[in-house]
Amino acid sequence: MIEPRRITVELGFRSYPIVIGDGLLGGNFDLAEYVRGEDCLVVSNVTVAPLYLEKLRSNLGGKKVAALELPDGERFKTTDSLHQVLDQLAESGANRDTTVIALGGGVVGDIAGFAAASYMRGVGFIQVPTTLLAQVDSSVGGKTGINHAQGKNLIGAFYQPGIVLIDTDTLQTLPERELKAGLAEVIKHGAIADIDFFAWLEDNIEALLAGQPDALAHAIERSCEIKAEVVADDEREAGRRAILNFGHTFGHAIENSLGYGELLHGEAVAIGMVMAAELSDIEPASRERLRDLLRRAGLPVSPPAVGAQRMFDAMSMDKKVVQKQLRLVLLDRLGDACVTTDYDEGSLRRVLEAAE
Ligand code: NAD
Ligand code: GLY
């Protein structure tokens, strides 16, 4: 076991730690001290609970631990699943001292977090992410929510956890395709904020794909540092935080047009980043570096044939539309992103034509 790494998300009295290490689940970390009262509800799913619920129980010595296993999949990120969590809280007589613990990937984390934000206007909340994507992105920063037929993550709340506990050992059971999808968000962090990290990823992508523990721990730590810094600067996405959505406006439109579940979120974001780079005024060589790294990570880089108009319509539902104008996250250069409305609509349409 290596010494756990610790990063703080600096949000004043709501600051919280992200603890990253191997062997943390199974009693090696006292999570009980972060539980608000005596009762917790672990929200997981039918895939993750059989693998890690019992281990997590031994991190919660002395607490009363109930559990709920949701069905597995993005298509269950719905009001029905949210209500299952709320029903269990209400029927067990949970109060504001109850702590909801999300054990799973981003789907479980987003639903459980929204339930924690909504029940009695806010109960305790802890994130125990078990996918690479959730460890480097969705568990950090307090975005929670569910999907609506009209758009992804359309209903939700900002609600920060009290701690994010990342046991990198959980990645050993993660399907390879999911690991690659998580790498898309890791690569995103390099592309938007740290060219040195991007170059490190170019040198270490094979080690990451092979599940090499030190390489994964570094990629998770640097991603969390970047995300923590951006969130501390702009928690509610009034401005700069939107850079974390690099590739997401195109990616969400692809997911929405294809139907959720066809592509993994990280796969759609990979294609979206290539499209956003196409529209960015950067060196062609930088575009090629991004495309090449994503390709080497085993990610798709070309849009499926969903139709340019359909993608354009889906993009107009994006949360970054302000006064009918779509703001996009583009690159000023590789390693530096901006949020802008300063792009040519004709060029956007040409980029979308790749989806014909
Ligand atoms: P996911 O939660 O669907 O998990 C992927 C699959 O891996 C699932 O089948 C899950 O059961 C399985 N799994 C999870 N951990 C495992 C493990 N250790 N071993 C074996 N199998 C395991 O998908 P995801 O990629 O983690 O998250 C995607 C979701 O996250 C999307 O809904 C997206 O909108 C959301 N998201 C939210 C934010 C945010 O800031 N809140 C950011 C990015 C993405
Ligand atoms: N995944 C984008 C954000 O957390 O803001």
Side-chain angles (χ1 to χ4, degrees):
M1 192 177 160
I2 46 173
E3 190 59 29
R5 302 156 194 221
R6 211 180 167 95
I7 296 161
T8 303
V9 183
E10 302 282 0
L11 290 168
F13 70 93
R14 289 176 296 108
S15 296
Y16 58 93
I18 305 168
V19 181
I20 306 163
D22 55 346
L24 294 177
L25 288 183
N28 282 327
F29 184 89
D30 183 14
L31 196 56
E33 71 177 84
Y34 293 89
V35 169
R36 221 184 243 189
E38 290 311 308
D39 296 324
C40 18
L41 173 63
V42 178
V43 178
S44 190
N45 72 18
V46 292
T47 307
V48 179
L51 295 169
Y52 298 112
L53 180 57
E54 283 317 307
K55 283 191 166 188
L56 178 61
R57 278 186 199 278
S58 53
N59 293 77
L60 293 164
K63 301 293 177 185
K64 212 172 121 215
V65 184
L68 173 63
E69 294 182 25
L70 295 171
D72 186 357
E74 180 75 34
R75 70 182 198 285
F76 297 107
K77 199 170 148 181
T78 56
T79 45
D80 272 2
S81 297
L82 174 70
H83 277 282
Q84 278 194 54
V85 185
L86 296 175
D87 287 350
Q88 177 135 350
L89 286 167
E91 283 158 18
S92 67
N95 59 32
R96 280 208 176 127
D97 271 346
T98 300
T99 297
V100 172
I101 305 180
L103 173 69
V107 170
V108 161
D110 281 9
I111 299 168
F114 189 37
S118 323
Y119 186 73
M120 292 194 171
R121 300 196 186 89
V123 297
F125 179 43
I126 288 174
Q127 286 270 20
V128 183
T130 62
T131 63
L132 181 60
L133 185 135
Q135 294 177 354
V136 300
D137 191 355
S138 62
S139 66
V140 175
K143 282 189 182 175
T144 70
I146 55 174
N147 296 331
H148 185 276
Q150 293 303 316
K152 212 173 131 57
N153 299 330
L154 216 53
I155 306 162
F158 286 97
Y159 197 64
Q160 303 291 344
I163 180 171
V164 181
L165 183 66
I166 300 177
D167 184 342
T168 54
D169 284 348
T170 57
L171 299 179
Q172 286 170 13
T173 55
L174 192 66
E176 195 184 340
R177 187 174 168 201
E178 298 289 349
L179 186 83
K180 290 174 178 168
L183 284 173
E185 302 282 6
V186 174
I187 292 168
K188 175 194 79 180
H189 287 124
I192 61 170
D194 185 350
I195 187 63
D196 293 339
F197 180 48
F198 189 90
W200 180 89
L201 290 169
E202 290 177 311
D203 290 342
N204 289 276
I205 195 69
E206 279 79 22
L208 290 166
L209 284 167
Q212 222 258 350
D214 283 345
L216 282 170
H218 178 70
I220 294 166
E221 183 182 19
R222 188 65 197 121
S223 290
C224 287
E225 279 171 356
I226 290 169
K227 182 149 187 187
E229 189 268 313
V230 173
V231 168
D233 192 39
D234 176 22
E235 182 187 6
R236 296 279 169 137
E237 205 168 293
R240 182 168 173 245
R241 179 167 177 165
I243 64 168
L244 296 170
N245 288 325
F246 178 53
H248 285 57
T249 304
F250 293 96
H252 284 168
I254 292 170
E255 283 183 284
N256 190 265
S257 307
L258 268 184
Y260 298 127
E262 193 70 28
L263 280 178
L264 298 180
H265 175 70
E267 292 170 340
V269 167
I271 299 167
M273 287 193 283
V274 171
M275 296 177 91
E278 282 297 323
L279 194 57
S280 301
D281 186 16
I282 56 173
E283 297 282 321
S286 296
R287 285 192 201 111
E288 198 38 52
R289 271 180 82 179
L290 178 61
R291 184 191 285 267
D292 189 51
L293 182 56
L294 291 166
R295 207 187 282 119
R296 285 173 62 207
L299 288 158
V301 291
S302 305
V306 291
Q309 187 59 44
R310 189 157 180 189
M311 270 199 73
F312 190 79
D313 293 344
M315 286 170 82
S316 61
M317 277 304 290
D318 191 271
K319 287 188 280 303
K320 286 186 294 308
V321 173
V322 177
Q323 287 169 348
K324 300 215 164 146
Q325 194 155 28
L326 176 63
R327 292 179 301 151
L328 285 174
V329 184
L330 300 180
L331 295 177
D332 278 334
R333 66 186 76 81
L334 195 56
D336 196 1
C338 63
V339 188
T340 181
T341 51
D342 185 18
Y343 56 87
D344 175 51
E345 195 140 319
S347 305
L348 172 60
R349 290 208 177 259
R350 269 193 299 285
V351 168
L352 292 179
E353 273 160 22
E356 283 299 341

